[in-house]
């Protein structure tokens, strides 16, 4: 008997399943149980409440997917996070449209919704797409009808704060249109775009390893602020805004979704980890790939570097973790099973 097999028997016995002969267990379950030592959770910088909730649930026996969804639901419900769920910044017409996806490692299934309106917790709807349909992605009106069919309550997701931000954007887009910000009779050229104008691409991603060593993840967002109605970002696209392979690890992203859509970034992070790269190096190498593929002058600074940011968060099967961004600045949330902390993302460039 190998050492690891002996260790497994010892652990299984301690866990009260010692009566079950190891030979009776499928190899996959044996390997899952052997790695079942250290629950961890990773999230974007807005994800301290998410990783805290996820680990609390995992410690009480939850599957990683249940845990990460419950974690991000806290942020979806929070009106003060203007990048996710209720209180998210709206599209150019002032309507909040949400994207979300989930991926379950042990069954390698996924579900997603895109451009869904009036439903506060798109991650829960995404999960139902995975569990209660033969599809992976449902969008727009179809996604709303699907949510209604499952009893979700519709509500106005546009908070007063988000509406005022949107109005400020709309009134300051141009001096040539008819929307005017507050002004005096003496003002001329009213409504010139003021700088810097923050267009939110914030989002929350959360990935975790549970007590069985299984890995799952979720990404949920209100997407790019003031987007064209119907615009879908990377968050609900499996392989772009998140990806999970139960034998390797998981990855997810926040930032400019279009860059991830054309680079299939999250699956690339996981594939780099499969090749043996650390989570942080895998995230950094995908940042490099995005920068190399950034051909459009309008998306480059004068020195040729991308004029946008993309951030990645990854964990591998061993519970190792890392976060990286194209540009210095973002942080990520990590819970090691004992406590949650915010850490600096590695980065390619510093301004
Ligand atoms: N990464 C979020 C979005 O672009 O929609």
């Amino acid at each position: 008997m190998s050492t690891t097999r002996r260790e497994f028997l010892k652990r299984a016995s301690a866990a009260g399943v010692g009566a079950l002969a190891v030979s009776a267990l499928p190899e996959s379950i044996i390997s899952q149980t052997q790695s079942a030592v250290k629950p961890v959770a990773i999230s974007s910088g807005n994800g301290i409440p998410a990783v805290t909730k996820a680990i609390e649930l995992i410690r009480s026996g939850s599957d990683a997917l249940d845990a990460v969804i419950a974690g991000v639901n806290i942020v979806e419900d929070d009106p003060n996070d203007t990048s996710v769920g209720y209180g998210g910044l709206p599209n150019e017409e002032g309507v909040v449209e949400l994207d979300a996806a989930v991926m379950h490692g042990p069954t390698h299934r996924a579900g997603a919704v895109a451009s869904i309106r009036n439903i506060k917790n798109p991650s829960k709807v995404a999960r139902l797409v995975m569990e209660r349909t033969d599809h992976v992605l449902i969008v727009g009106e179809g996604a709303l009808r699907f949510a209604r069919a499952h009893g979700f309550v519709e509500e106005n997701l546009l908070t007063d704060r988000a509406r005022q931000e949107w109005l400020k954007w709309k009134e300051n887009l141009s001096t040539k249109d008819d929307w005017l910000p507050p002004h005096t009779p003496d003002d001329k050229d009213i409504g010139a775009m003021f700088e810097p104008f923050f267009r939110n691409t914030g989002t929350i991603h959360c990935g975790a390893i549970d007590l069985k060593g299984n890995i799952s993840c979720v990404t949920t967002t209100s997407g790019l602020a003031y987007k064209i109605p119907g615009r879908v970002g990377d968050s609900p696209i499996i392989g772009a805004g998140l990806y999970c392979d139960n034998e390797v690890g998981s990855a997810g992203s926040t930032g400019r979704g279009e860059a991830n859509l054309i680079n299939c970034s999250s699956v690339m992070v996981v594939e780099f980890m499969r090749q043996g790269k650390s989570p942080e190096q895998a995230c950094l190498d995908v940042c490099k790939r995005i920068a190399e593929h950034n051909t459009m002058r309008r998306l480059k600074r004068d020195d040729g570097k991308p004029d946008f940011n993309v951030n990645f968060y990854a964990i591998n099967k061993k519970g190792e973790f890392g976060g990286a961004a194209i540009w210095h600045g973002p942080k990520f949330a990590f819970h090691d099973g004992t406590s949650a902390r915010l850490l600096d993302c590695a980065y390619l460039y510093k301004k």
Side-chain angles (χ1 to χ4, degrees):
M1 190 187 293
S2 70
T3 310
T4 47
R5 206 167 168 82
R6 203 177 300 125
E7 272 171 8
F8 166 72
L9 276 175
K10 228 169 30 184
R11 281 186 207 147
S13 171
V17 293
L20 190 59
V22 172
S23 57
L25 295 174
E27 276 304 315
S28 61
I29 292 181
I30 292 173
S31 76
Q32 284 171 15
T33 312
Q34 279 174 336
S35 59
V37 196
K38 195 184 168 202
V40 296
I42 194 164
S43 185
S44 30
N46 52 352
I48 287 285
V51 293
T52 304
K53 181 75 183 174
I55 291 295
E56 179 192 316
L57 289 174
I58 286 171
R59 287 210 163 284
S60 64
S62 284
D63 177 87
L65 187 61
D66 294 331
V68 293
I69 292 174
V72 299
N73 288 163
I74 296 170
V75 184
E76 287 176 332
D77 291 345
D78 179 0
N80 295 316
D81 190 315
T82 57
S83 71
V84 181
Y86 177 62
L89 291 173
N91 68 20
E92 67 179 14
E93 293 172 353
V95 180
V96 178
E97 293 180 331
L98 306 178
D99 297 339
V102 302
M103 193 152 187
H104 186 234
T107 55
H108 204 74
R109 288 179 303 162
V113 288
S115 220
I116 188 171
R117 300 180 174 192
N118 299 348
I119 303 291
K120 201 190 229 179
N121 299 120
S123 59
K124 289 185 182 171
V125 188
R127 184 217 187 102
L128 280 169
V129 172
M130 180 184 87
E131 290 179 340
R132 302 285 289 273
T133 79
D134 189 35
H135 305 319
V136 171
L137 172 62
I138 304 181
V139 309
E141 179 62 23
L144 177 56
R145 287 189 196 172
F146 174 76
R148 271 192 211 125
H150 279 277
F152 282 80
V153 177
E154 285 184 66
E155 55 196 301
N156 177 17
L157 303 181
L158 187 67
T159 57
D160 209 46
R161 173 180 169 190
R163 183 190 58 74
Q164 284 181 31
E165 286 293 316
W166 163 76
L167 197 57
K168 193 157 62 167
W169 169 80
K170 196 160 178 63
E171 290 181 341
N172 288 281
L173 268 182
S174 168
T175 56
K176 305 283 182 271
D177 67 16
D178 301 327
W179 291 78
L180 305 177
H183 59 281
T184 71
D186 296 329
D187 287 338
K188 198 174 169 331
D189 294 333
I190 299 157
M193 174 75 115
F194 54 79
E195 293 287 345
F197 216 107
F198 179 56
R199 284 189 82 193
N200 202 334
T201 52
T203 295
I204 186 165
H205 168 78
C206 188
I209 304 181
D210 64 26
L211 295 176
K212 292 181 181 152
N214 287 323
I215 309 169
S216 291
C217 61
V218 58
T219 303
T220 176
T221 187
S222 51
L224 179 66
Y226 324 130
K227 59 196 170 186
I228 294 174
R231 177 262 188 189
V232 173
D234 60 320
S235 304
I237 305 301
I238 306 302
L242 75 171
Y243 192 73
C244 173
D245 182 314
N246 206 41
E247 297 307 315
V248 179
S250 83
S253 183
T254 60
R256 182 178 160 80
E258 281 71 10
N260 287 334
L261 285 167
I262 55 177
N263 286 288
C264 301
S265 306
S266 290
V267 72
M268 202 188 315
V269 173
V270 173
E271 291 308 308
F272 281 162
M273 291 195 292
R274 191 194 304 278
Q275 291 168 9
K277 292 183 181 179
S278 70
E280 181 179 291
Q281 194 58 49
C283 292
L284 269 175
D285 284 357
V286 173
C287 290
K288 270 185 218 150
R289 183 71 62 86
I290 291 173
E292 284 160 13
H293 281 172
N294 184 39
T295 58
M296 304 300 287
R297 180 64 185 89
R298 69 186 173 82
L299 296 175
K300 289 183 190 184
R301 302 180 350 156
D302 288 343
D303 62 5
K305 293 173 182 160
D307 79 344
F308 55 84
N309 212 357
V310 183
N311 321 318
F312 294 99
Y313 318 96
I315 44 177
N316 69 16
K317 188 75 177 170
K318 291 187 266 182
E320 294 164 343
F321 63 95
I326 295 176
W327 287 99
H328 170 260
K331 293 188 180 287
F332 67 99
F334 182 71
H335 201 305
D336 62 7
T338 306
S339 61
R341 60 208 146 118
L342 272 182
L343 298 164
D344 290 326
C345 286
Y347 56 89
L348 287 187
Y349 311 121
K350 193 168 180 174
K351 283 177 187 157

